[in-house]
Amino acid sequence: MHEFVIPLHPEGLLHDGEDNRFCVEEELDVEILNDKEITNLLDNIHENLNGRASSIVKNGNFDPLFSFMNKLNRQTETVKTYILSILDLGLSKMVNTTNKLIR
């Protein structure tokens, strides 16, 4: 299991992972994706997060979200809104799950 350390800068998540910290395994070049590929990828992540709160920290979901966030200023307003709604869903589910565990 990896430890999740909140970095001071986004680049801190690009660490090579040698010290057992959670990090991005593969940064996706989101600028080469067409609209359909972006929608399919985000739909898939959204579906995964609806299933389990912890899915947000699985690299198959986290890495693309990180990649989109890293290039957020280059995304359309529609994509930005979708990404933020996915993050809201994932983080809300994580907070709800955490609350249940500590009660």
Side-chain angles (χ1 to χ4, degrees):
M1 175 169 269
H2 294 289
E3 179 181 358
F4 188 84
V5 177
I6 299 174
L8 297 177
H9 305 284
E11 297 80 27
L13 287 170
L14 295 173
H15 184 268
D16 59 20
E18 286 183 21
D19 61 1
N20 205 34
R21 287 188 307 155
F22 181 84
C23 63
V24 174
E25 289 180 352
E26 183 178 352
E27 190 171 7
L28 182 64
D29 186 359
V30 295
E31 294 178 304
I32 65 168
L33 300 176
N34 64 41
D35 290 344
K36 183 175 175 132
E37 291 170 321
I38 290 171
T39 301
N40 288 342
L41 180 57
L42 293 176
D43 284 346
N44 197 22
I45 294 169
H46 186 264
E47 186 176 314
N48 291 340
L49 296 184
N50 261 330
R52 290 192 75 174
S54 62
S55 292
I56 197 165
V57 292
K58 294 200 182 301
N59 285 101
N61 298 316
F62 185 86
D63 292 5
L65 286 173
F66 175 86
S67 300
F68 279 112
M69 292 298 294
N70 217 17
K71 306 279 188 209
L72 195 61
N73 61 336
R74 297 183 184 148
Q75 303 303 320
T76 65
E77 289 303 313
T78 302
V79 170
K80 288 178 187 178
T81 301
Y82 197 10
I83 292 167
L84 293 176
S85 72
I86 290 170
L87 290 172
D88 179 54
L89 169 69
L91 295 173
S92 295
K93 288 185 77 99
M94 189 70 89
V95 167
N96 289 338
T97 300
T98 303
N99 282 336
K100 289 176 185 174
L101 290 173
I102 59 175
R103 288 185 183 169

